mmCIF file of all heavy atoms in Angstrom:
data_model
loop_
_atom_site.group_PDB
_atom_site.id
_atom_site.type_symbol
_atom_site.label_atom_id
_atom_site.label_comp_id
_atom_site.label_asym_id
_atom_site.label_seq_id
_atom_site.Cartn_x
_atom_site.Cartn_y
_atom_site.Cartn_z
ATOM 1 N N ASN A 218 3.612 7.501 -19.487
ATOM 2 C CA ASN A 218 3.763 8.600 -18.553
ATOM 3 C C ASN A 218 3.338 9.939 -19.155
ATOM 4 O O ASN A 218 2.847 10.823 -18.468
ATOM 5 C CB ASN A 218 5.224 8.691 -18.086
ATOM 6 C CG ASN A 218 5.594 7.556 -17.161
ATOM 7 O OD1 ASN A 218 4.727 6.966 -16.538
ATOM 8 N ND2 ASN A 218 6.877 7.242 -17.080
ATOM 9 N N SER A 219 3.539 10.092 -20.465
ATOM 10 C CA SER A 219 3.246 11.365 -21.099
ATOM 11 C C SER A 219 1.760 11.576 -21.361
ATOM 12 O O SER A 219 1.326 12.690 -21.614
ATOM 13 C CB SER A 219 4.017 11.477 -22.425
ATOM 14 O OG SER A 219 3.654 10.403 -23.281
ATOM 15 N N THR A 220 0.967 10.502 -21.314
ATOM 16 C CA THR A 220 -0.451 10.631 -21.642
ATOM 17 C C THR A 220 -1.370 10.198 -20.513
ATOM 18 O O THR A 220 -2.559 10.460 -20.562
ATOM 19 C CB THR A 220 -0.798 9.779 -22.884
ATOM 20 O OG1 THR A 220 -0.499 8.407 -22.599
ATOM 21 C CG2 THR A 220 0.010 10.214 -24.084
ATOM 22 N N TYR A 221 -0.832 9.557 -19.497
ATOM 23 C CA TYR A 221 -1.661 9.006 -18.423
ATOM 24 C C TYR A 221 -1.855 10.038 -17.324
ATOM 25 O O TYR A 221 -0.894 10.529 -16.737
ATOM 26 C CB TYR A 221 -1.000 7.740 -17.866
ATOM 27 C CG TYR A 221 -1.706 7.142 -16.669
ATOM 28 C CD1 TYR A 221 -2.968 6.579 -16.792
ATOM 29 C CD2 TYR A 221 -1.100 7.144 -15.410
ATOM 30 C CE1 TYR A 221 -3.612 6.019 -15.693
ATOM 31 C CE2 TYR A 221 -1.726 6.583 -14.315
ATOM 32 C CZ TYR A 221 -2.982 6.024 -14.461
ATOM 33 O OH TYR A 221 -3.627 5.480 -13.380
ATOM 34 N N ASN A 222 -3.089 10.369 -17.040
ATOM 35 C CA ASN A 222 -3.412 11.298 -15.974
ATOM 36 C C ASN A 222 -4.151 10.542 -14.882
ATOM 37 O O ASN A 222 -5.325 10.200 -15.039
ATOM 38 C CB ASN A 222 -4.287 12.437 -16.489
ATOM 39 C CG ASN A 222 -4.613 13.444 -15.389
ATOM 40 O OD1 ASN A 222 -4.027 13.411 -14.304
ATOM 41 N ND2 ASN A 222 -5.543 14.336 -15.668
ATOM 42 N N PRO A 223 -3.497 10.255 -13.754
ATOM 43 C CA PRO A 223 -4.142 9.432 -12.724
ATOM 44 C C PRO A 223 -5.408 10.061 -12.167
ATOM 45 O O PRO A 223 -6.297 9.357 -11.691
ATOM 46 C CB PRO A 223 -3.058 9.304 -11.643
ATOM 47 C CG PRO A 223 -2.127 10.446 -11.884
ATOM 48 C CD PRO A 223 -2.145 10.675 -13.362
ATOM 49 N N GLU A 224 -5.514 11.387 -12.246
ATOM 50 C CA GLU A 224 -6.704 12.041 -11.707
ATOM 51 C C GLU A 224 -7.968 11.637 -12.460
ATOM 52 O O GLU A 224 -9.074 11.731 -11.914
ATOM 53 C CB GLU A 224 -6.520 13.555 -11.746
ATOM 54 C CG GLU A 224 -5.412 14.051 -10.817
ATOM 55 C CD GLU A 224 -5.264 15.559 -10.857
ATOM 56 O OE1 GLU A 224 -6.029 16.203 -11.613
ATOM 57 O OE2 GLU A 224 -4.403 16.094 -10.132
ATOM 58 N N ASP A 225 -7.793 11.199 -13.710
ATOM 59 C CA ASP A 225 -8.955 10.760 -14.489
ATOM 60 C C ASP A 225 -9.589 9.504 -13.896
ATOM 61 O O ASP A 225 -10.737 9.170 -14.219
ATOM 62 C CB ASP A 225 -8.555 10.475 -15.944
ATOM 63 C CG ASP A 225 -8.128 11.745 -16.665
ATOM 64 O OD1 ASP A 225 -8.507 12.836 -16.196
ATOM 65 O OD2 ASP A 225 -7.417 11.639 -17.687
ATOM 66 N N TYR A 226 -8.849 8.791 -13.054
ATOM 67 C CA TYR A 226 -9.327 7.525 -12.514
ATOM 68 C C TYR A 226 -9.608 7.597 -11.017
ATOM 69 O O TYR A 226 -9.920 6.590 -10.397
ATOM 70 C CB TYR A 226 -8.303 6.415 -12.810
ATOM 71 C CG TYR A 226 -8.055 6.241 -14.289
ATOM 72 C CD1 TYR A 226 -7.074 6.982 -14.939
ATOM 73 C CD2 TYR A 226 -8.833 5.361 -15.047
ATOM 74 C CE1 TYR A 226 -6.861 6.840 -16.310
ATOM 75 C CE2 TYR A 226 -8.620 5.220 -16.408
ATOM 76 C CZ TYR A 226 -7.633 5.959 -17.035
ATOM 77 O OH TYR A 226 -7.438 5.824 -18.385
ATOM 78 N N ASN A 227 -9.468 8.771 -10.447
ATOM 79 C CA ASN A 227 -9.750 8.933 -9.027
ATOM 80 C C ASN A 227 -11.243 8.777 -8.737
ATOM 81 O O ASN A 227 -12.090 9.141 -9.562
ATOM 82 C CB ASN A 227 -9.287 10.307 -8.536
ATOM 83 C CG ASN A 227 -7.770 10.405 -8.467
ATOM 84 O OD1 ASN A 227 -7.079 9.401 -8.505
ATOM 85 N ND2 ASN A 227 -7.266 11.626 -8.381
ATOM 86 N N LYS A 228 -11.541 8.240 -7.564
ATOM 87 C CA LYS A 228 -12.920 8.126 -7.106
ATOM 88 C C LYS A 228 -13.039 8.773 -5.734
ATOM 89 O O LYS A 228 -12.083 8.803 -4.963
ATOM 90 C CB LYS A 228 -13.332 6.646 -7.017
ATOM 91 C CG LYS A 228 -13.267 5.911 -8.346
ATOM 92 C CD LYS A 228 -13.632 4.448 -8.167
ATOM 93 C CE LYS A 228 -13.523 3.691 -9.482
ATOM 94 N NZ LYS A 228 -13.853 2.244 -9.309
ATOM 95 N N GLU A 229 -14.225 9.292 -5.433
ATOM 96 C CA GLU A 229 -14.424 9.982 -4.162
ATOM 97 C C GLU A 229 -14.178 9.074 -2.967
ATOM 98 O O GLU A 229 -13.711 9.515 -1.926
ATOM 99 C CB GLU A 229 -15.842 10.554 -4.091
ATOM 100 C CG GLU A 229 -16.092 11.707 -5.051
ATOM 101 C CD GLU A 229 -17.457 12.319 -4.848
ATOM 102 O OE1 GLU A 229 -18.157 11.904 -3.896
ATOM 103 O OE2 GLU A 229 -17.836 13.207 -5.634
ATOM 104 N N GLU A 230 -14.499 7.784 -3.132
ATOM 105 C CA GLU A 230 -14.343 6.850 -2.011
ATOM 106 C C GLU A 230 -12.915 6.329 -1.857
ATOM 107 O O GLU A 230 -12.610 5.589 -0.919
ATOM 108 C CB GLU A 230 -15.297 5.671 -2.169
ATOM 109 C CG GLU A 230 -15.066 4.813 -3.413
ATOM 110 C CD GLU A 230 -15.865 5.283 -4.612
ATOM 111 O OE1 GLU A 230 -16.242 6.477 -4.653
ATOM 112 O OE2 GLU A 230 -16.113 4.453 -5.512
ATOM 113 N N ASP A 231 -12.024 6.709 -2.774
ATOM 114 C CA ASP A 231 -10.638 6.274 -2.667
ATOM 115 C C ASP A 231 -9.982 6.828 -1.407
ATOM 116 O O ASP A 231 -10.236 7.971 -1.014
ATOM 117 C CB ASP A 231 -9.831 6.728 -3.890
ATOM 118 C CG ASP A 231 -10.206 5.976 -5.151
ATOM 119 O OD1 ASP A 231 -10.804 4.892 -5.029
ATOM 120 O OD2 ASP A 231 -9.904 6.481 -6.248
ATOM 121 N N LYS A 232 -9.144 6.006 -0.795
ATOM 122 C CA LYS A 232 -8.411 6.435 0.391
ATOM 123 C C LYS A 232 -6.927 6.133 0.199
ATOM 124 O O LYS A 232 -6.563 5.064 -0.268
ATOM 125 C CB LYS A 232 -8.928 5.720 1.644
ATOM 126 C CG LYS A 232 -10.348 6.080 2.037
ATOM 127 C CD LYS A 232 -10.745 5.374 3.320
ATOM 128 C CE LYS A 232 -12.169 5.738 3.724
ATOM 129 N NZ LYS A 232 -12.590 5.045 4.980
ATOM 130 N N MET A 233 -6.096 7.075 0.550
ATOM 131 C CA MET A 233 -4.658 6.863 0.476
ATOM 132 C C MET A 233 -4.247 5.816 1.505
ATOM 133 O O MET A 233 -4.759 5.812 2.635
ATOM 134 C CB MET A 233 -3.911 8.164 0.754
ATOM 135 C CG MET A 233 -3.932 9.142 -0.392
ATOM 136 S SD MET A 233 -3.014 8.527 -1.830
ATOM 137 C CE MET A 233 -1.349 8.550 -1.197
ATOM 138 N N PRO A 234 -3.331 4.926 1.151
ATOM 139 C CA PRO A 234 -2.854 3.951 2.133
ATOM 140 C C PRO A 234 -2.033 4.632 3.216
ATOM 141 O O PRO A 234 -1.474 5.720 3.010
ATOM 142 C CB PRO A 234 -1.982 3.010 1.290
ATOM 143 C CG PRO A 234 -1.542 3.841 0.129
ATOM 144 C CD PRO A 234 -2.692 4.762 -0.173
ATOM 145 N N THR A 235 -1.972 4.003 4.360
ATOM 146 C CA THR A 235 -1.159 4.533 5.456
ATOM 147 C C THR A 235 0.315 4.379 5.125
ATOM 148 O O THR A 235 0.755 3.332 4.648
ATOM 149 C CB THR A 235 -1.474 3.780 6.759
ATOM 150 O OG1 THR A 235 -2.863 3.932 7.067
ATOM 151 C CG2 THR A 235 -0.639 4.319 7.906
ATOM 152 N N THR A 236 1.095 5.403 5.332
ATOM 153 C CA THR A 236 2.547 5.336 5.114
ATOM 154 C C THR A 236 3.252 5.984 6.296
ATOM 155 O O THR A 236 2.700 6.858 6.970
ATOM 156 C CB THR A 236 2.957 6.067 3.821
ATOM 157 O OG1 THR A 236 2.549 7.437 3.897
ATOM 158 C CG2 THR A 236 2.321 5.422 2.600
ATOM 159 N N GLY A 237 4.471 5.536 6.543
ATOM 160 C CA GLY A 237 5.283 6.131 7.597
ATOM 161 C C GLY A 237 4.792 5.865 9.006
ATOM 162 O O GLY A 237 5.148 6.601 9.938
ATOM 163 N N ALA A 238 4.006 4.808 9.190
ATOM 164 C CA ALA A 238 3.488 4.499 10.531
ATOM 165 C C ALA A 238 4.599 3.974 11.440
ATOM 166 O O ALA A 238 5.619 3.458 10.971
ATOM 167 C CB ALA A 238 2.371 3.467 10.436
ATOM 168 N N ASP A 239 4.408 4.113 12.731
ATOM 169 C CA ASP A 239 5.384 3.632 13.712
ATOM 170 C C ASP A 239 4.782 2.425 14.432
ATOM 171 O O ASP A 239 4.252 2.535 15.537
ATOM 172 C CB ASP A 239 5.723 4.743 14.703
ATOM 173 C CG ASP A 239 6.805 4.321 15.704
ATOM 174 O OD1 ASP A 239 7.436 3.260 15.476
ATOM 175 O OD2 ASP A 239 7.007 5.042 16.696
ATOM 176 N N ASN A 240 4.897 1.244 13.791
ATOM 177 C CA ASN A 240 4.307 0.030 14.351
ATOM 178 C C ASN A 240 5.340 -0.881 15.013
ATOM 179 O O ASN A 240 4.999 -1.971 15.482
ATOM 180 C CB ASN A 240 3.564 -0.747 13.255
ATOM 181 C CG ASN A 240 2.342 0.017 12.760
ATOM 182 O OD1 ASN A 240 1.711 0.749 13.517
ATOM 183 N ND2 ASN A 240 2.010 -0.142 11.489
ATOM 184 N N GLY A 241 6.599 -0.455 14.997
ATOM 185 C CA GLY A 241 7.633 -1.185 15.722
ATOM 186 C C GLY A 241 8.013 -2.530 15.136
ATOM 187 O O GLY A 241 8.586 -3.376 15.826
ATOM 188 N N LEU A 242 7.727 -2.751 13.832
ATOM 189 C CA LEU A 242 8.050 -4.035 13.207
ATOM 190 C C LEU A 242 9.285 -3.913 12.328
ATOM 191 O O LEU A 242 9.587 -2.846 11.796
ATOM 192 C CB LEU A 242 6.875 -4.513 12.343
ATOM 193 C CG LEU A 242 5.599 -4.946 13.071
ATOM 194 C CD1 LEU A 242 4.482 -5.223 12.075
ATOM 195 C CD2 LEU A 242 5.858 -6.192 13.914
ATOM 196 N N GLU A 243 9.981 -5.024 12.179
ATOM 197 C CA GLU A 243 11.069 -5.119 11.217
ATOM 198 C C GLU A 243 10.790 -6.267 10.269
ATOM 199 O O GLU A 243 10.073 -7.216 10.604
ATOM 200 C CB GLU A 243 12.410 -5.313 11.917
ATOM 201 C CG GLU A 243 12.867 -4.086 12.693
ATOM 202 C CD GLU A 243 14.342 -4.150 13.053
ATOM 203 O OE1 GLU A 243 14.983 -5.180 12.749
ATOM 204 O OE2 GLU A 243 14.846 -3.165 13.631
ATOM 205 N N PHE A 244 11.351 -6.166 9.091
ATOM 206 C CA PHE A 244 11.138 -7.161 8.044
ATOM 207 C C PHE A 244 11.392 -8.582 8.559
ATOM 208 O O PHE A 244 10.635 -9.511 8.296
ATOM 209 C CB PHE A 244 12.055 -6.833 6.872
ATOM 210 C CG PHE A 244 11.681 -7.506 5.584
ATOM 211 C CD1 PHE A 244 10.372 -7.876 5.302
ATOM 212 C CD2 PHE A 244 12.654 -7.749 4.616
ATOM 213 C CE1 PHE A 244 10.031 -8.481 4.105
ATOM 214 C CE2 PHE A 244 12.322 -8.354 3.417
ATOM 215 C CZ PHE A 244 11.016 -8.721 3.164
ATOM 216 N N TYR A 245 12.460 -8.716 9.314
ATOM 217 C CA TYR A 245 12.856 -10.038 9.807
ATOM 218 C C TYR A 245 11.815 -10.622 10.760
ATOM 219 O O TYR A 245 11.695 -11.841 10.876
ATOM 220 C CB TYR A 245 14.219 -9.946 10.502
ATOM 221 C CG TYR A 245 14.808 -11.282 10.863
ATOM 222 C CD1 TYR A 245 15.519 -12.021 9.914
ATOM 223 C CD2 TYR A 245 14.655 -11.820 12.139
ATOM 224 C CE1 TYR A 245 16.055 -13.251 10.222
ATOM 225 C CE2 TYR A 245 15.188 -13.063 12.455
ATOM 226 C CZ TYR A 245 15.889 -13.765 11.499
ATOM 227 O OH TYR A 245 16.408 -14.996 11.805
ATOM 228 N N ASP A 246 11.054 -9.765 11.437
ATOM 229 C CA ASP A 246 10.047 -10.247 12.386
ATOM 230 C C ASP A 246 8.988 -11.115 11.715
ATOM 231 O O ASP A 246 8.360 -11.956 12.375
ATOM 232 C CB ASP A 246 9.342 -9.064 13.070
ATOM 233 C CG ASP A 246 10.292 -8.251 13.934
ATOM 234 O OD1 ASP A 246 11.287 -8.820 14.413
ATOM 235 O OD2 ASP A 246 10.038 -7.036 14.116
ATOM 236 N N LEU A 247 8.778 -10.921 10.414
ATOM 237 C CA LEU A 247 7.708 -11.636 9.722
ATOM 238 C C LEU A 247 8.210 -12.859 8.963
ATOM 239 O O LEU A 247 7.459 -13.465 8.196
ATOM 240 C CB LEU A 247 6.967 -10.691 8.769
ATOM 241 C CG LEU A 247 5.843 -9.893 9.455
ATOM 242 C CD1 LEU A 247 6.427 -8.805 10.329
ATOM 243 C CD2 LEU A 247 4.890 -9.301 8.445
ATOM 244 N N ARG A 248 9.451 -13.215 9.170
ATOM 245 C CA ARG A 248 9.988 -14.404 8.502
ATOM 246 C C ARG A 248 9.192 -15.640 8.906
ATOM 247 O O ARG A 248 9.014 -15.922 10.095
ATOM 248 C CB ARG A 248 11.453 -14.600 8.869
ATOM 249 C CG ARG A 248 12.103 -15.774 8.156
ATOM 250 C CD ARG A 248 13.596 -15.810 8.405
ATOM 251 N NE ARG A 248 14.225 -16.888 7.674
ATOM 252 C CZ ARG A 248 15.536 -17.093 7.603
ATOM 253 N NH1 ARG A 248 16.360 -16.264 8.210
ATOM 254 N NH2 ARG A 248 16.033 -18.107 6.919
ATOM 255 N N GLY A 249 8.685 -16.362 7.909
ATOM 256 C CA GLY A 249 7.911 -17.572 8.154
ATOM 257 C C GLY A 249 6.439 -17.341 8.408
ATOM 258 O O GLY A 249 5.679 -18.300 8.579
ATOM 259 N N LYS A 250 6.008 -16.072 8.447
ATOM 260 C CA LYS A 250 4.599 -15.786 8.678
ATOM 261 C C LYS A 250 3.757 -16.169 7.453
ATOM 262 O O LYS A 250 4.236 -16.162 6.328
ATOM 263 C CB LYS A 250 4.393 -14.296 8.979
ATOM 264 C CG LYS A 250 5.052 -13.807 10.258
ATOM 265 C CD LYS A 250 4.347 -14.336 11.498
ATOM 266 C CE LYS A 250 4.921 -13.700 12.757
ATOM 267 N NZ LYS A 250 4.286 -14.213 13.988
ATOM 268 N N ASP A 251 2.501 -16.492 7.680
ATOM 269 C CA ASP A 251 1.590 -16.814 6.591
ATOM 270 C C ASP A 251 1.395 -15.602 5.683
ATOM 271 O O ASP A 251 1.515 -14.448 6.122
ATOM 272 C CB ASP A 251 0.225 -17.258 7.137
ATOM 273 C CG ASP A 251 0.299 -18.609 7.842
ATOM 274 O OD1 ASP A 251 1.239 -19.376 7.541
ATOM 275 O OD2 ASP A 251 -0.567 -18.876 8.687
ATOM 276 N N TYR A 252 1.047 -15.892 4.432
ATOM 277 C CA TYR A 252 0.851 -14.832 3.444
ATOM 278 C C TYR A 252 -0.217 -13.837 3.894
ATOM 279 O O TYR A 252 -0.096 -12.628 3.662
ATOM 280 C CB TYR A 252 0.455 -15.462 2.099
ATOM 281 C CG TYR A 252 0.154 -14.471 1.003
ATOM 282 C CD1 TYR A 252 1.185 -13.903 0.252
ATOM 283 C CD2 TYR A 252 -1.160 -14.103 0.710
ATOM 284 C CE1 TYR A 252 0.918 -12.986 -0.750
ATOM 285 C CE2 TYR A 252 -1.438 -13.187 -0.296
ATOM 286 C CZ TYR A 252 -0.392 -12.639 -1.019
ATOM 287 O OH TYR A 252 -0.669 -11.728 -2.009
ATOM 288 N N ASP A 253 -1.277 -14.320 4.546
ATOM 289 C CA ASP A 253 -2.385 -13.449 4.943
ATOM 290 C C ASP A 253 -2.304 -13.014 6.406
ATOM 291 O O ASP A 253 -3.284 -12.550 6.981
ATOM 292 C CB ASP A 253 -3.731 -14.128 4.679
ATOM 293 C CG ASP A 253 -3.847 -15.489 5.369
ATOM 294 O OD1 ASP A 253 -2.847 -15.921 5.991
ATOM 295 O OD2 ASP A 253 -4.925 -16.112 5.281
ATOM 296 N N ASP A 254 -1.124 -13.145 7.032
ATOM 297 C CA ASP A 254 -0.962 -12.684 8.402
ATOM 298 C C ASP A 254 -1.184 -11.166 8.447
ATOM 299 O O ASP A 254 -0.603 -10.416 7.644
ATOM 300 C CB ASP A 254 0.451 -13.017 8.898
ATOM 301 C CG ASP A 254 0.606 -12.804 10.397
ATOM 302 O OD1 ASP A 254 0.502 -11.642 10.835
ATOM 303 O OD2 ASP A 254 0.809 -13.788 11.121
#
């Protein structure tokens, strides 16, 4: 943590993942779903 600077590894094409979306799903809804669902 004291020596690692994440900005050194950033790329212009990098995109932040979506967070806080309102997709109406709950964890339990995906019980038994395939890994790649």
Side-chain angles (χ1 to χ4, degrees):
N218 289 337
S219 58
T220 60
Y221 175 67
N222 181 11
E224 294 181 0
D225 294 339
Y226 301 89
N227 288 344
K228 299 178 182 179
E229 291 185 5
E230 62 270 23
D231 289 341
K232 293 183 180 179
M233 284 294 292
T235 301
T236 59
D239 183 12
N240 293 328
L242 291 173
E243 291 196 357
F244 197 27
Y245 189 83
D246 295 333
L247 274 74
R248 183 172 183 174
K250 296 289 187 181
D251 291 337
Y252 177 83
D253 56 356
D254 191 295

